[in-house]
Amino acid sequence: MTNKALKVGIIGQGRSGRNIHGNLLVQISEYYTIAAVADSIPERQELARQEYDCNAYASWEEMVQNEELDLVVNASPSHQHFSISLELLNRGFNVLCEKPLAKTAEEVDKLIEASERSGKLIAIFQQSRYQHAFTKIREVIESGVLGRIVQVNFTLNGFARRWDWQTLQSNNGGNLLNTGPHPVDQALQLFGTDIMPQVTCIMDRANTFGDAEDYVKLIMRGQGRPTIDLEISSCCTYGREPFNIQGTNGGLRGTAQQLEWKYFKSEEAPEQQLIKEPLFDKNGLPAYCNETLIWHEDSWSLTLDEGKTPFEDMTEKVYMMLYRSITEGTELEITPQQVRQQMMVMEECRRQNPQIYG
């Protein structure tokens, strides 16, 4: 069976449009063909012609007017994502938009309405949903061996000073909108997308040269849900592991490359009951609670096909999911409705930090 290669137009040939999307699409040419790109910089246009053997335009409007495209990848600057995606949907194009999709839930609602009205897809490039470590974490949690999940820590920390366009509020910059869509998406998948969490957020400007935040501490809570502790910091000299999960029967920790977890089985644990009187040891001296649990340990390490990076693997999974949606009509696995919940969380974060987002 021969696949139909979808014709793609890419808006932007910067770090995302070229280095991520263009780089991956040329590796899966049986499914996608880069027909055209749009970029205001002439040198980037010429490079795209050489690398992709495609047409190149100075503006996205000119590109979509002159090309018959099955999909448009919106890798424009962050603050243009919403307006361009909305116009593309209104013109009848399927869209894959880079994160952040928008800045507010209201903007996402307008994109959903335009998608439903035009019958075209609005997909969001949040490839971390397909991160191998996150997939394994979900598998371990769903197996039940850790018991009830009490807390999940997501940590994306480092020490860096930054002074580019993504440090500005006017460009939808800052750590929450730049980096946050990935861990917030993962966090909400574990918290549950059926209700809104209670949000507590602290933001700061530490090492940034712009007016947007580069430190975020975000706590999400809900009755019967795990507490989410999410931290994105640019002033952390001694970083921690990205994942740490606490459960009633055990826990998990690790990185994108390696995870380990241990747990006890309730049926193997000594029977205990509440004692209200003081405890004594065998010598009649005051004592603490003490028992011996049988711990079971397991681990996981990332393995990939030779020659493919983890980032390329996640990106390919997004594009193959999208290919099925366009050609077979299957449901998107990363939906704008889910991203709408992210935007509501982020709006509340900004509301709670008027010293930055006044």
Side-chain angles (χ1 to χ4, degrees):
M1 180 177 177
T2 303
N3 297 308
K4 174 195 173 186
L6 301 179
K7 293 182 180 180
V8 182
I10 305 176
I11 300 175
Q13 282 294 284
R15 295 193 306 259
S16 176
R18 176 184 178 273
N19 298 355
I20 297 175
H21 296 277
N23 173 64
L24 188 280
L25 287 169
V26 296
Q27 299 182 48
I28 52 173
S29 57
E30 65 270 36
Y31 297 98
Y32 293 94
T33 297
I34 301 176
V37 303
D39 197 289
S40 61
I41 300 175
E43 290 79 7
R44 290 182 176 179
Q45 296 172 31
E46 182 56 35
L47 184 60
R49 293 188 187 98
Q50 297 174 12
E51 292 183 329
Y52 308 142
D53 189 26
C54 70
N55 296 324
Y57 300 89
S59 71
W60 69 266
E61 293 94 341
E62 186 181 7
M63 179 180 74
V64 300
Q65 287 170 1
N66 288 279
E67 300 285 341
E68 294 185 5
L69 302 170
D70 299 302
L71 174 69
V72 179
V73 177
N74 184 1
S76 63
S78 299
H79 61 290
Q80 297 179 11
H81 288 175
F82 164 69
S83 60
I84 292 177
S85 294
L86 183 61
E87 182 62 24
L88 287 170
L89 289 169
N90 289 334
R91 293 189 185 204
F93 291 96
N94 293 307
V95 181
L96 173 63
C97 184
E98 259 289 353
K99 56 80 186 168
L101 173 64
K103 190 172 185 177
T104 66
E106 182 182 4
E107 290 181 345
V108 177
D109 286 338
K110 292 179 180 178
L111 292 172
I112 293 172
E113 291 169 4
S115 173
E116 293 174 347
R117 187 170 55 249
S118 66
K120 297 299 181 179
L121 296 174
I122 176 66
I124 305 91
F125 186 65
Q126 295 201 180
Q127 74 280 9
S128 291
R129 181 78 67 86
Y130 299 107
Q131 183 184 38
H132 285 261
F134 181 65
T135 299
K136 188 64 182 180
I137 287 171
R138 297 183 75 171
E139 179 185 316
V140 173
I141 290 175
E142 290 167 8
S143 74
V145 297
L146 302 182
R148 178 174 61 86
I149 304 304
V150 177
Q151 179 170 313
V152 182
N153 285 55
F154 291 89
T155 307
L156 288 86
N157 285 349
F159 194 97
R161 305 198 307 165
R162 192 168 180 179
W163 52 88
D164 64 339
W165 64 272
Q166 285 186 315
T167 65
L168 296 172
Q169 294 184 31
S170 60
N171 291 333
N172 284 0
N175 278 10
L176 191 58
L177 277 172
N178 282 337
T179 304
H182 297 304
V184 173
D185 175 71
Q186 292 179 340
L188 289 173
Q189 289 296 302
L190 299 185
F191 179 87
T193 58
D194 56 320
I195 65 169
M196 274 298 297
Q198 302 169 32
V199 172
T200 302
C201 183
I202 301 168
M203 291 180 174
D204 200 348
R205 288 194 294 254
N207 288 327
T208 180
F209 285 73
D211 62 352
E213 83 290 339
D214 64 347
Y215 170 88
V216 180
K217 168 66 80 170
L218 170 58
I219 307 294
M220 292 186 280
R221 297 169 293 163
Q223 185 67 34
R225 310 295 172 114
T227 295
I228 304 295
D229 183 324
L230 193 156
E231 187 173 298
I232 310 171
S233 173
S234 295
C235 58
C236 181
T237 309
Y238 300 102
R240 300 181 306 207
E241 293 168 323
F243 304 111
N244 193 303
I245 298 175
Q246 304 174 38
T248 54
N249 283 35
L252 177 150
R253 68 176 185 177
T255 67
Q257 289 73 40
Q258 193 163 12
L259 301 170
E260 62 178 354
W261 60 98
K262 69 177 184 177
Y263 56 93
F264 75 90
K265 297 179 180 179
S266 298
E267 63 271 21
E268 296 177 347
E271 290 189 17
Q272 305 289 1
Q273 61 182 5
L274 179 64
I275 299 175
K276 296 183 179 180
E277 294 78 20
L279 296 180
F280 299 92
D281 64 15
K282 61 183 180 179
N283 298 316
L285 299 175
Y288 288 101
C289 294
N290 185 37
E291 66 177 350
T292 300
L293 296 174
I294 300 172
W295 288 101
H296 300 264
E297 299 186 40
D298 209 339
S299 63
W300 166 91
S301 295
L302 177 65
T303 56
L304 288 174
D305 295 337
E306 187 176 352
K308 183 177 292 185
T309 69
F311 199 94
E312 289 171 340
D313 184 73
M314 291 187 290
T315 302
E316 181 175 338
K317 284 182 168 61
V318 173
Y319 271 103
M320 295 313 300
M321 178 271 293
L322 184 53
Y323 184 87
R324 294 189 295 270
S325 294
I326 294 175
T327 61
E328 302 172 16
T330 59
E331 295 293 325
L332 291 171
E333 295 171 4
I334 305 168
T335 68
Q337 288 79 10
Q338 293 166 352
V339 175
R340 183 185 191 279
Q341 185 187 31
Q342 291 177 41
M343 293 299 104
M344 291 183 70
V345 169
M346 293 183 183
E347 282 186 83
E348 178 59 19
C349 290
R350 293 193 294 270
R351 188 193 70 80
Q352 293 182 14
N353 288 270
Q355 78 282 6
I356 296 177
Y357 290 96

